[in-house]
């Protein structure tokens, strides 16, 4: 256009025809430039929407992974909680979450906005309910971030948290805690942002796609909640409350669901990391997004290999046999993905191999450390997200490449510590800024979430009732429609079908691995040869026939007891432990007016619950 104007000026007064042609050409050039700009903006919107949709599949991955990691009696409850993550987070992030994170700013930091002075704010104060806001692709992308952060906590608290508590903390986390951290690091008004001119230490905190903002925040919240909530029953203590010398491993019900969930998460992570750039209107930026996918792939693969190899080494040291545990491979993969999230666009591909391998080692050590501290995490979310979130942020300060920093940020004054040594200096400014950022996120999350969970626990809204936890949260919240398979040896076994009836039972005694539940002559449905019988008149005591091997190994005296059935005056010989007999003797009314249900919790065969 400038050339056309120069030609027009040169021809001024000499040829009106030529000047008219130049003017027309100039107008067409302006229109073409506008169309190119619109096309570039449209391409950025489509790219961000595609990344958001891909990232949202992580919700399905989390749901499948959590469902496969819990026992069958809690599958429905776990799936519903994961599904409600997206629903509750969408509402909270729409009402106030986005406004707190990016309100009053563009949200996306374009190159022309970099290195420009901006006032520092604690949170955003505009665009509540998306008023005066029209960048909906950006909102969708940030919502997927918030939903991911919230879902991390759901897995750690599986099998023992109440639905009401889950709703409260998911809303708080996605509507306030995550947005404040996102504002501090990613918003142009945040005090840790690395793009404005008045940066922390002249560098600012660099966390490309959220190793600290998303995963460290979610993992730390999970740690606080798990500590306040306490472990699942039988995880670290026996029935009478005495601590176990060797913690009881609670196996999940489906390895297939765990593998499927991990693959879905891996797929969603490509949108998570590549979309962190927000725009691809130039070839350089498109290559940065492509680099992010490559480093993501390599880190996940190396995390899997190192975690599986180290777990095999541990098994060899303990038992003399090499065993490859699938759970360590899957969580090692997720650990590599978490660790690479903060640096995926700023490092060379070979560095991602190192980051992934270290992440797999960190997961192994952290998982065993959590068991040593007797902190129960149903899906190992804390070792994966908390510890490797820390490693991911630190890795940026160690391995950020000058060339990659120049492409993504337009500057290379403070780079990774190892590259600084190559320059002949020991500049660790970026590493220091990232560590300070981690400490500030840590303090904020602890100050907000620890009192919050403590209050919920004090009010009795956090932990499920012990009886509900024994029977399974599916019975309590989902009308007894569970994936539990009832094992029985003959067609005469009683089958409890109604959760309403189950809620009326009281815990009247417990023995090794067994809980005795009873209620006064209330009817319950019993299936006998495909016909329904209402046993109001039956007062027979139902007890579990223990295996002969268990009786022989645990007792020297015979474990036989005779219990009478008053309704038929027939004495029935049953195998019952002496502890159970003592419990029945302590409640003489049981034999006359109590219908007794004996519940056995088994750690084999997907921990199926047997009602007998």
């Amino acid at each position: 256009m400038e050339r056309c104007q120069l030609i027009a000026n040169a021809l001024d007064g000499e040829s009106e025809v030529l000047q008219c042609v130049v003017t027309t050409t100039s107008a067409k050039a302006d229109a073409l430039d506008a169309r190119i700009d619109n096309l570039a903006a449209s391409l950025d919107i489509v790219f961000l929407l595609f990344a958001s949709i891909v990232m949202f599949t992580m919700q399905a991955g989390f749901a499948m992974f959590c469902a496969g990691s819990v026992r069958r009696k809690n599958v429905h409850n776990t799936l519903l909680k994961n599904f409600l993550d997206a629903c509750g987070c969408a509402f909270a992030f729409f009402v106030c979450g986005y406004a707190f994170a990016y309100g009053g700013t563009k949200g996306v930091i374009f190159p022309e906005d970099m290195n420009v002075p901006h006032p520092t704010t604690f949170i955003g104060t505009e665009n509540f309910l998306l008023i005066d806001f029209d960048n909906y692709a950006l909102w969708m992308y940030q919502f997927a971030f918030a939903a991911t952060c919230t879902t991390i906590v759901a897995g750690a608290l599986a099998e023992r948290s109440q639905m009401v508590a889950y709703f409260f903390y998911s809303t708080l986390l996605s509507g306030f805690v995550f947005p404040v951290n996102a504002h501090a690091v990613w918003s142009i008004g945040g005090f840790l942002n690395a793009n404005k001119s008045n940066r922390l230490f002249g560098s600012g905190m660099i966390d490309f796609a959220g190793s600290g903002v998303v995963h460290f925040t979610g993992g730390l919240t999970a740690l606080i909640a798990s500590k306040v909530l306490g472990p699942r029953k039988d995880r670290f203590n026996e029935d009478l409350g005495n601590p176990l010398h060797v913690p009881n491993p609670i196996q999940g019900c489906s390895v297939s669901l765990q593998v499927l969930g991990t693959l879905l998460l891996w797929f969603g992570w490509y949108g998570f990391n590549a979309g962190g750039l927000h725009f691809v209107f130039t070839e350089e930026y498109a290559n940065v997004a492509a680099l992010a996918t490559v480093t993501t792939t390599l880190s996940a693969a190396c995390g899997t290999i190192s975690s599986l190899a180290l777990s095999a080494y541990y098994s060899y040291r303990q038992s003399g046999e090499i065993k490859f545990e699938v759970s360590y491979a899957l969580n090692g993969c997720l650990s590599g993905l978490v660790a690479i999230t903060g640096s995926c666009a700023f490092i060379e591909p070979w560095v991602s191999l190192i980051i992934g391998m270290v992440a797999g080692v960190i997961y192994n050590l952290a998982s065993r450390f959590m068991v040593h501290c007797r902190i129960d995490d149903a899906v190992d979310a804390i070792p994966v997200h908390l510890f490797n979130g820390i490693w991911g942020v630190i890795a940026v300060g160690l391995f950020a490449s000058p060339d990659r920093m120049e492409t993504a940020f337009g500057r290379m004054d403070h780079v990774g510590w190892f590259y600084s040594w190559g320059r002949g200096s020991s500049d660790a400014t970026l590493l220091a800024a990232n560590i300070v950022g981690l400490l500030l996120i840590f303090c904020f999350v602890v100050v907000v979430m620890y009192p919050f969970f403590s209050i919920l626990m004090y009010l009795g809204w956090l932990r499920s009732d012990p009886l509900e936890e024994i029977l399974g949260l599916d019975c309590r919240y989902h009308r007894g429609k569970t994936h539990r398979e009832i094992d029985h040896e003959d067609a005469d076994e009683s089958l409890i079908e109604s959760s309403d009836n189950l809620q009326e039972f009281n815990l009247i005694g417990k023995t090794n691995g067994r809980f005795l539940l009873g209620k006064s002559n209330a009817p319950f449905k019993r299936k006998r040869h495909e016909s329904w019988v209402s046993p109001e008149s039956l007062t027979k005591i139902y007890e579990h026939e223990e295996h002969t091997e268990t009786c022989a190994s645990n007792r020297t005296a015979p474990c036989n007891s005779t219990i009478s059935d008053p309704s038929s005056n027939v004495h029935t010989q049953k195998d019952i432990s002496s502890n159970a007999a003592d419990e029945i003797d302590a409640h003489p009314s049981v034999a006359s007016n109590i219908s007794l249900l004996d519940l056995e919790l088994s750690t084999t065969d997907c921990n199926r619950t047997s009602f007998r």
Side-chain angles (χ1 to χ4, degrees), residues 350 391 395 397-400 415-423 425 427:
W350 62 268
W391 164 234
L398 296 176
F399 298 109
V415 296
W417 195 17
F418 294 150
Y419 283 97
S420 295
W421 287 350
R423 291 175 167 182
S425 68
D427 180 16

Side-chain angles (χ1 to χ4, degrees), residues 508 539-541 583-584 586-596:
I508 65 172
T539 53
K540 178 180 176 180
I541 299 175
E583 294 289 352
I584 294 172
H587 298 79
S589 61
V590 167
S592 60
N593 63 359
I594 294 291
S595 296
L596 188 66

Side-chain angles (χ1 to χ4, degrees), residues 433-479:
N434 278 15
I435 293 176
V436 170
L438 282 175
L439 292 175
L440 291 175
I441 293 175
F442 174 86
C443 293
F444 176 71
V445 173
V446 171
V447 167
V448 174
M449 299 308 295
Y450 184 79
F452 174 76
F453 282 114
S454 298
I455 293 172
L456 288 181
M457 193 69 175
Y458 176 78
L459 295 175
W461 294 352
L462 184 59
R463 179 99 190 198
S464 295
D465 184 82
L467 182 56
E468 297 171 358
E469 186 178 340
I470 295 167
L471 297 175
L473 299 184
D474 288 2
C475 286
R476 168 64 179 87
Y477 292 107
H478 313 296
R479 303 186 63 81

